[in-house]
Amino acid sequence: GKATIDVMWEVGGQHEITATFTPDSDPSAMLESPASLYRVVDPSWHVDMVELGADALALDPATTSFTWSFGNYYLEFFQSGFTKEAIGDNVLLYPADTAAGVDNDPIGTMSDDTNAEFQFTNGMGHKDSQGNVAVDFTGIARVKSGDMLFWDFKDPQVRIGADGHGYVTAELTDSWADPDRQGVRVLVGEFETSDGPNIVTAGISTQAAGETWRHYMKPKYADHTAAGTWAADFTGSYPNEMLANMAEDGRAFWYDTGSSSDAFKPPHQMMLQYEDVEEAEEPEPDPTEPPAPQPTTPVPPEPKLPITGANSTALALLMVGVSGAGALLIRRKFAR
C-alpha cells in the first residue's frame, strides 16, 4: 500500500496534517490518521526595502545616533524583568523615557532596568535628495534574562524610506541557539509612517541642511504575525525572522502568550538622530587661469550603497511541530 501527505499551505499560523493509508488489496479500506498540529512561521517582511539614490550624501558621524530599548519584558508579580548591558565603544545605556543622551548622563554599561534604552553613536550613514536614509552602527545591545539566557543585537542598521517606512536589522546571537544560527543578520523591527504616535515622516521637513533631524518610529507588534504562529491564536510578536533564529526556550519573551507579562512585551519607540551634511559649493573659477578641460566621456554616477542584511532569497515557510509531532521544513524562494 501507500501513504500520502498533502501540504498546501500558503500562509503562516496553526495548521493540521492528516495522513491517509490506502491498502493495495482493498482500496476502499482507507485509513486516516489523527490530525497533527503544526505551526507555520512565515518570515516575510511587511515593509519594502529602502534603497539610496546615487546622489546620497554622507551624514556627520559625530551627530548620528540610534536609541532603542530593544526589549522590555517584565514579570510584574515577581517585579523582575530584563537586564541590559552595553558592549562596545559606540553604545551606552540611558534611563528609560529620558530622551537618551540629550538631558541625562548615561547609567553605565549595565542596568537592571528593563526599560533602559541603548544609544548607539557615531553611525556611518547617507541620505539622498528624496529623503531615504541608511545608517550603520557598531556595538552590541545585550538583553539578559537571569544569569543564563541572553540575546546579543550586534551592529544595528537603520533604514528609513522617503515616505517614513523602514526597518532595523542586527546580527542576532543568543545563549542557547543552534551554532548555525549564531550571528545571522535578521529583521528586529519594522515600521510605517502610520504606526503609533509621534511619527516624523522622513523626507518631509522644513529643516535646512546642517540642522538636527529626529525620526521617531514605533515598531510593529500587534497583529504582526498570523494567528497560531507561535502560541494559540495570538498575533502579537516581534518579527518572525528574528524569532525563527532564536533558541526555542527563549522565544516566549518576544511574543504574546496570554500571560500578564504580555502588556510589557510590545517594543518601545525608536529614535534616529542625525544632521544633514551641506553639499560643498563649487569654487568660483579664477579668471586669470585657463578653464579646466572638460571630460570627453560621461562620468558615471556614484554607485548605490549596498543595503546589507536583505537577502535576495529567503526562507518562506518554517513549520515547527507541536506536542512532539515532529518538524517539517519547506523552502520557497522569493525576491525581496
PDB file of all heavy atoms in Angstrom, residues 297-313:
ATOM      1  N   THR A 297      34.216  61.900 -21.877  1.00  0.00           N
ATOM      2  CA  THR A 297      33.284  60.782 -21.682  1.00  0.00           C
ATOM      3  C   THR A 297      32.443  61.079 -20.455  1.00  0.00           C
ATOM      4  O   THR A 297      32.901  61.724 -19.508  1.00  0.00           O
ATOM      5  CB  THR A 297      34.036  59.456 -21.476  1.00  0.00           C
ATOM      6  OG1 THR A 297      34.927  59.593 -20.356  1.00  0.00           O
ATOM      7  CG2 THR A 297      34.824  59.091 -22.706  1.00  0.00           C
ATOM      8  N   PRO A 298      31.190  60.630 -20.454  1.00  0.00           N
ATOM      9  CA  PRO A 298      30.327  60.916 -19.301  1.00  0.00           C
ATOM     10  C   PRO A 298      30.866  60.254 -18.040  1.00  0.00           C
ATOM     11  O   PRO A 298      31.413  59.153 -18.080  1.00  0.00           O
ATOM     12  CB  PRO A 298      28.970  60.334 -19.723  1.00  0.00           C
ATOM     13  CG  PRO A 298      29.290  59.333 -20.779  1.00  0.00           C
ATOM     14  CD  PRO A 298      30.502  59.854 -21.483  1.00  0.00           C
ATOM     15  N   VAL A 299      30.704  60.956 -16.921  1.00  0.00           N
ATOM     16  CA  VAL A 299      31.130  60.414 -15.635  1.00  0.00           C
ATOM     17  C   VAL A 299      29.986  59.604 -15.047  1.00  0.00           C
ATOM     18  O   VAL A 299      28.875  60.114 -14.889  1.00  0.00           O
ATOM     19  CB  VAL A 299      31.509  61.561 -14.669  1.00  0.00           C
ATOM     20  CG1 VAL A 299      31.918  60.993 -13.305  1.00  0.00           C
ATOM     21  CG2 VAL A 299      32.631  62.390 -15.269  1.00  0.00           C
ATOM     22  N   PRO A 300      30.224  58.324 -14.733  1.00  0.00           N
ATOM     23  CA  PRO A 300      29.121  57.514 -14.174  1.00  0.00           C
ATOM     24  C   PRO A 300      28.745  58.018 -12.796  1.00  0.00           C
ATOM     25  O   PRO A 300      29.583  58.560 -12.074  1.00  0.00           O
ATOM     26  CB  PRO A 300      29.715  56.102 -14.099  1.00  0.00           C
ATOM     27  CG  PRO A 300      31.191  56.329 -14.006  1.00  0.00           C
ATOM     28  CD  PRO A 300      31.465  57.567 -14.817  1.00  0.00           C
ATOM     29  N   PRO A 301      27.480  57.877 -12.413  1.00  0.00           N
ATOM     30  CA  PRO A 301      27.070  58.298 -11.072  1.00  0.00           C
ATOM     31  C   PRO A 301      27.689  57.405 -10.005  1.00  0.00           C
ATOM     32  O   PRO A 301      28.118  56.287 -10.291  1.00  0.00           O
ATOM     33  CB  PRO A 301      25.534  58.128 -11.098  1.00  0.00           C
ATOM     34  CG  PRO A 301      25.310  57.062 -12.128  1.00  0.00           C
ATOM     35  CD  PRO A 301      26.376  57.268 -13.165  1.00  0.00           C
ATOM     36  N   GLU A 302      27.729  57.932  -8.794  1.00  0.00           N
ATOM     37  CA  GLU A 302      28.226  57.112  -7.702  1.00  0.00           C
ATOM     38  C   GLU A 302      27.325  55.897  -7.538  1.00  0.00           C
ATOM     39  O   GLU A 302      26.110  55.986  -7.634  1.00  0.00           O
ATOM     40  CB  GLU A 302      28.242  57.929  -6.410  1.00  0.00           C
ATOM     41  CG  GLU A 302      29.229  59.082  -6.431  1.00  0.00           C
ATOM     42  CD  GLU A 302      29.242  59.812  -5.104  1.00  0.00           C
ATOM     43  OE1 GLU A 302      28.607  59.322  -4.164  1.00  0.00           O
ATOM     44  OE2 GLU A 302      29.890  60.861  -5.024  1.00  0.00           O
ATOM     45  N   PRO A 303      27.935  54.733  -7.254  1.00  0.00           N
ATOM     46  CA  PRO A 303      27.103  53.531  -7.102  1.00  0.00           C
ATOM     47  C   PRO A 303      26.222  53.626  -5.873  1.00  0.00           C
ATOM     48  O   PRO A 303      26.559  54.306  -4.902  1.00  0.00           O
ATOM     49  CB  PRO A 303      28.141  52.414  -6.944  1.00  0.00           C
ATOM     50  CG  PRO A 303      29.349  53.103  -6.400  1.00  0.00           C
ATOM     51  CD  PRO A 303      29.356  54.469  -7.034  1.00  0.00           C
ATOM     52  N   LYS A 304      25.097  52.943  -5.926  1.00  0.00           N
ATOM     53  CA  LYS A 304      24.214  52.893  -4.776  1.00  0.00           C
ATOM     54  C   LYS A 304      24.908  52.133  -3.649  1.00  0.00           C
ATOM     55  O   LYS A 304      25.610  51.157  -3.884  1.00  0.00           O
ATOM     56  CB  LYS A 304      22.896  52.189  -5.135  1.00  0.00           C
ATOM     57  CG  LYS A 304      22.037  52.972  -6.105  1.00  0.00           C
ATOM     58  CD  LYS A 304      20.749  52.238  -6.363  1.00  0.00           C
ATOM     59  CE  LYS A 304      19.858  53.011  -7.338  1.00  0.00           C
ATOM     60  NZ  LYS A 304      18.601  52.293  -7.614  1.00  0.00           N
ATOM     61  N   LEU A 305      24.671  52.594  -2.433  1.00  0.00           N
ATOM     62  CA  LEU A 305      25.251  51.901  -1.302  1.00  0.00           C
ATOM     63  C   LEU A 305      24.550  50.556  -1.119  1.00  0.00           C
ATOM     64  O   LEU A 305      23.338  50.448  -1.263  1.00  0.00           O
ATOM     65  CB  LEU A 305      25.076  52.737  -0.032  1.00  0.00           C
ATOM     66  CG  LEU A 305      25.805  54.074  -0.031  1.00  0.00           C
ATOM     67  CD1 LEU A 305      25.474  54.806   1.260  1.00  0.00           C
ATOM     68  CD2 LEU A 305      27.294  53.871  -0.148  1.00  0.00           C
ATOM     69  N   PRO A 306      25.300  49.521  -0.786  1.00  0.00           N
ATOM     70  CA  PRO A 306      24.644  48.232  -0.542  1.00  0.00           C
ATOM     71  C   PRO A 306      23.814  48.275   0.719  1.00  0.00           C
ATOM     72  O   PRO A 306      24.193  48.893   1.709  1.00  0.00           O
ATOM     73  CB  PRO A 306      25.834  47.271  -0.379  1.00  0.00           C
ATOM     74  CG  PRO A 306      26.949  48.140   0.087  1.00  0.00           C
ATOM     75  CD  PRO A 306      26.738  49.477  -0.588  1.00  0.00           C
ATOM     76  N   ILE A 307      22.658  47.667   0.668  1.00  0.00           N
ATOM     77  CA  ILE A 307      21.806  47.566   1.843  1.00  0.00           C
ATOM     78  C   ILE A 307      21.984  46.160   2.387  1.00  0.00           C
ATOM     79  O   ILE A 307      21.410  45.201   1.881  1.00  0.00           O
ATOM     80  CB  ILE A 307      20.327  47.823   1.486  1.00  0.00           C
ATOM     81  CG1 ILE A 307      20.198  49.166   0.757  1.00  0.00           C
ATOM     82  CG2 ILE A 307      19.467  47.785   2.732  1.00  0.00           C
ATOM     83  CD1 ILE A 307      20.660  50.351   1.557  1.00  0.00           C
ATOM     84  N   THR A 308      22.842  46.009   3.381  1.00  0.00           N
ATOM     85  CA  THR A 308      23.156  44.684   3.883  1.00  0.00           C
ATOM     86  C   THR A 308      22.035  44.168   4.753  1.00  0.00           C
ATOM     87  O   THR A 308      21.209  44.916   5.256  1.00  0.00           O
ATOM     88  CB  THR A 308      24.458  44.709   4.688  1.00  0.00           C
ATOM     89  OG1 THR A 308      24.267  45.614   5.795  1.00  0.00           O
ATOM     90  CG2 THR A 308      25.612  45.160   3.846  1.00  0.00           C
ATOM     91  N   GLY A 309      22.012  42.855   4.936  1.00  0.00           N
ATOM     92  CA  GLY A 309      21.011  42.237   5.774  1.00  0.00           C
ATOM     93  C   GLY A 309      19.726  41.923   5.046  1.00  0.00           C
ATOM     94  O   GLY A 309      18.783  41.439   5.634  1.00  0.00           O
ATOM     95  N   ALA A 310      19.661  42.163   3.741  1.00  0.00           N
ATOM     96  CA  ALA A 310      18.462  41.847   2.965  1.00  0.00           C
ATOM     97  C   ALA A 310      18.833  40.843   1.890  1.00  0.00           C
ATOM     98  O   ALA A 310      19.483  41.160   0.921  1.00  0.00           O
ATOM     99  CB  ALA A 310      17.903  43.117   2.334  1.00  0.00           C
ATOM    100  N   ASN A 311      18.464  39.611   2.088  1.00  0.00           N
ATOM    101  CA  ASN A 311      18.816  38.574   1.136  1.00  0.00           C
ATOM    102  C   ASN A 311      17.907  38.624  -0.077  1.00  0.00           C
ATOM    103  O   ASN A 311      16.748  38.971   0.017  1.00  0.00           O
ATOM    104  CB  ASN A 311      18.695  37.192   1.791  1.00  0.00           C
ATOM    105  CG  ASN A 311      19.576  37.063   3.003  1.00  0.00           C
ATOM    106  OD1 ASN A 311      20.691  37.568   2.988  1.00  0.00           O
ATOM    107  ND2 ASN A 311      19.089  36.419   4.041  1.00  0.00           N
ATOM    108  N   SER A 312      18.447  38.235  -1.234  1.00  0.00           N
ATOM    109  CA  SER A 312      17.622  38.198  -2.431  1.00  0.00           C
ATOM    110  C   SER A 312      16.660  37.026  -2.386  1.00  0.00           C
ATOM    111  O   SER A 312      15.626  37.027  -3.029  1.00  0.00           O
ATOM    112  CB  SER A 312      18.518  38.075  -3.668  1.00  0.00           C
ATOM    113  OG  SER A 312      19.312  36.917  -3.584  1.00  0.00           O
ATOM    114  N   THR A 313      17.011  36.013  -1.637  1.00  0.00           N
ATOM    115  CA  THR A 313      16.095  34.904  -1.401  1.00  0.00           C
ATOM    116  C   THR A 313      16.043  34.643   0.080  1.00  0.00           C
ATOM    117  O   THR A 313      16.955  34.974   0.815  1.00  0.00           O
ATOM    118  CB  THR A 313      16.537  33.618  -2.125  1.00  0.00           C
ATOM    119  OG1 THR A 313      17.810  33.216  -1.604  1.00  0.00           O
ATOM    120  CG2 THR A 313      16.646  33.849  -3.609  1.00  0.00           C
TER     121      THR A 313
END
